[in-house]
Amino acid sequence: MSMQELPDVLQVEEITDGRYRVNHPAEDPEARNVVFSGQIMAQMIMACDHAVKGAKEVKSIHAIFARPGRYDAPMELQRETMHAGRAWGSETLTAWQDDRLLARGLVLLNADEPDIIRHAATAPDAPRPGSLAADAGDFVYADTEIRSIDDPKACAPDGSPVLRYWMRHARSFDSVAAHQASLVWCEPGLLIALSMRPHADVLRPEDAHHTVSTGVIAHTAHFHERFDVSEWLLVSQQSSYAGRGRVHGSGSVFTEDGRLVATFEQDSMVRGIDRTLDPKRSM
């Protein structure tokens, strides 16, 4: 699939060896002038795919977000190859705005191989997307439809709060990387709010960036099977820990026929703050 056939936000332009210019969305998705973490990971995946010319697929990406980026400034990625073998490869990607380092990602790539053994987690019971109403408004990634399974008391067997929803993108791609990038863009958006849910008596998602400082600090995504983001995907996520100003959560992604295709984990902050925050700019 040529770069020109992809959405603008998934197009990367190599301006010098290993240096890429990336595009911001036409509109700030959260109206906060803070670059969304999922965007950075998605564009890191696309830069890696550009480098290997589709010969390998991304197996996992682990990204740490050191500083917030801005939508009113251009962003570039610097790629450095750690290893390029026949079965495995690895790349380090660093996101920059001018001389300001924003984030760094470590991407593991692999070539497809036949099964020797196989098993996978079973998809949780969930209403089919056709029986659910579409959520109002857009998800952080444009042209993505969400249908939430509304159960505010849902918990895992260990008591962790659980959130499940179906998602699909408006179009399909001939690029495995573009499907992966579209999914990873959507992963970080809801785990922090989920972590607040059992504590509604003291904290609400609306308090974020006003009276508490919140943000994604690290996110890891693993891709297990190929999938099509234009078809329904069930995202099941849970928040397993909140404390000491930090929250941790994880998730699994299944196709409508129950195949496990991806998993992810996230470390975030939910910190008390002793100063006035600017919700348009602050974490």
Side-chain angles (χ1 to χ4, degrees), residues 164-233:
R164 292 175 182 148
Y165 59 87
W166 294 94
M167 60 163 283
R168 66 178 175 184
H169 189 55
R171 58 175 292 197
S172 185
F173 308 101
D174 291 331
S175 160
V176 172
H179 290 285
Q180 294 175 332
S182 299
L183 175 61
V184 83
W185 194 310
C186 299
E187 287 178 357
L190 300 174
L191 274 170
I192 294 176
L194 178 61
S195 298
M196 296 180 184
R197 196 173 70 187
H199 312 284
D201 55 332
V202 296
L203 192 62
R204 303 167 304 158
E206 294 82 5
D207 297 326
H209 320 303
H210 292 269
T211 60
V212 293
S213 179
T214 67
V216 177
I217 305 302
H219 189 98
T220 302
H222 304 272
F223 301 103
H224 308 302
E225 299 283 354
R226 295 172 181 168
F227 55 90
D228 187 333
V229 289
S230 72
E231 299 176 356
W232 286 114
L233 297 172

Side-chain angles (χ1 to χ4, degrees), residues 140-160:
V140 173
Y141 185 46
D143 299 323
T144 300
E145 181 182 357
I146 299 294
R147 297 192 179 186
S148 296
I149 300 167
D150 188 15
D151 185 357
K153 296 183 179 179
C155 290
D158 62 6
S160 302

Side-chain angles (χ1 to χ4, degrees), residues 100-111:
R100 181 178 170 84
L101 189 157
L102 305 181
R104 183 160 287 158
L106 186 60
V107 180
L108 178 66
L109 301 111
N110 71 160

Side-chain angles (χ1 to χ4, degrees), residues 65-86:
F65 305 95
R67 299 177 183 88
R70 308 191 325 269
Y71 279 118
D72 60 6
M75 188 170 71
E76 295 181 355
L77 300 177
Q78 180 66 51
R79 179 183 54 79
E80 180 183 357
T81 299
M82 180 188 300
H83 173 66
R86 286 174 293 182

Side-chain angles (χ1 to χ4, degrees), residues 14-277:
E14 190 167 20
I15 49 180
T16 60
D17 187 27
R19 188 85 172 189
Y20 296 86
R21 182 182 294 117
V22 297
N23 300 316
H24 292 314
E27 296 182 7
D28 179 345
E30 297 181 287
R32 294 201 321 109
N33 197 26
V34 176
V35 178
F36 186 61
S37 55
Q39 172 188 332
I40 297 175
M41 289 189 294
Q43 292 169 336
M44 288 177 172
I45 287 173
M46 297 309 297
C48 287
D49 186 63
H50 179 275
V52 301
K53 297 179 173 57
K56 294 186 180 73
E57 299 173 10
V58 172
K59 185 68 180 78
S60 65
I61 176 171
H62 177 68
I64 294 176
F65 305 95
R67 299 177 183 88
R70 308 191 325 269
Y71 279 118
D72 60 6
M75 188 170 71
E76 295 181 355
L77 300 177
Q78 180 66 51
R79 179 183 54 79
E80 180 183 357
T81 299
M82 180 188 300
H83 173 66
R86 286 174 293 182
W88 298 95
S90 49
E91 303 282 346
T92 301
L93 281 297
T94 305
W96 295 91
Q97 284 188 321
D98 296 323
D99 59 352
R100 181 178 170 84
L101 189 157
L102 305 181
R104 183 160 287 158
L106 186 60
V107 180
L108 178 66
L109 301 111
N110 71 160
D112 196 30
E113 297 186 270
D115 290 345
I116 299 297
I117 57 175
R118 171 174 284 269
H119 71 264
T122 302
D125 292 333
R128 292 301 174 191
S131 67
L132 302 169
D135 290 17
D138 291 329
F139 204 45
V140 173
Y141 185 46
D143 299 323
T144 300
E145 181 182 357
I146 299 294
R147 297 192 179 186
S148 296
I149 300 167
D150 188 15
D151 185 357
K153 296 183 179 179
C155 290
D158 62 6
S160 302
V162 168
L163 174 66
R164 292 175 182 148
Y165 59 87
W166 294 94
M167 60 163 283
R168 66 178 175 184
H169 189 55
R171 58 175 292 197
S172 185
F173 308 101
D174 291 331
S175 160
V176 172
H179 290 285
Q180 294 175 332
S182 299
L183 175 61
V184 83
W185 194 310
C186 299
E187 287 178 357
L190 300 174
L191 274 170
I192 294 176
L194 178 61
S195 298
M196 296 180 184
R197 196 173 70 187
H199 312 284
D201 55 332
V202 296
L203 192 62
R204 303 167 304 158
E206 294 82 5
D207 297 326
H209 320 303
H210 292 269
T211 60
V212 293
S213 179
T214 67
V216 177
I217 305 302
H219 189 98
T220 302
H222 304 272
F223 301 103
H224 308 302
E225 299 283 354
R226 295 172 181 168
F227 55 90
D228 187 333
V229 289
S230 72
E231 299 176 356
W232 286 114
L233 297 172
L234 174 64
V235 181
S236 177
Q237 51 190 350
Q238 67 183 65
S239 171
S240 53
Y241 175 81
R244 304 173 66 195
R246 310 289 183 260
V247 297
H248 178 80
S250 59
S252 300
V253 184
F254 301 88
T255 58
E256 194 170 5
D257 63 3
R259 290 186 306 120
L260 176 70
V261 295
T263 51
F264 58 92
E265 293 185 87
Q266 182 174 296
D267 287 306
S268 305
M269 66 176 181
V270 178
R271 302 171 57 209
I273 206 77
D274 58 1
R275 57 185 172 82
T276 302
L277 296 176

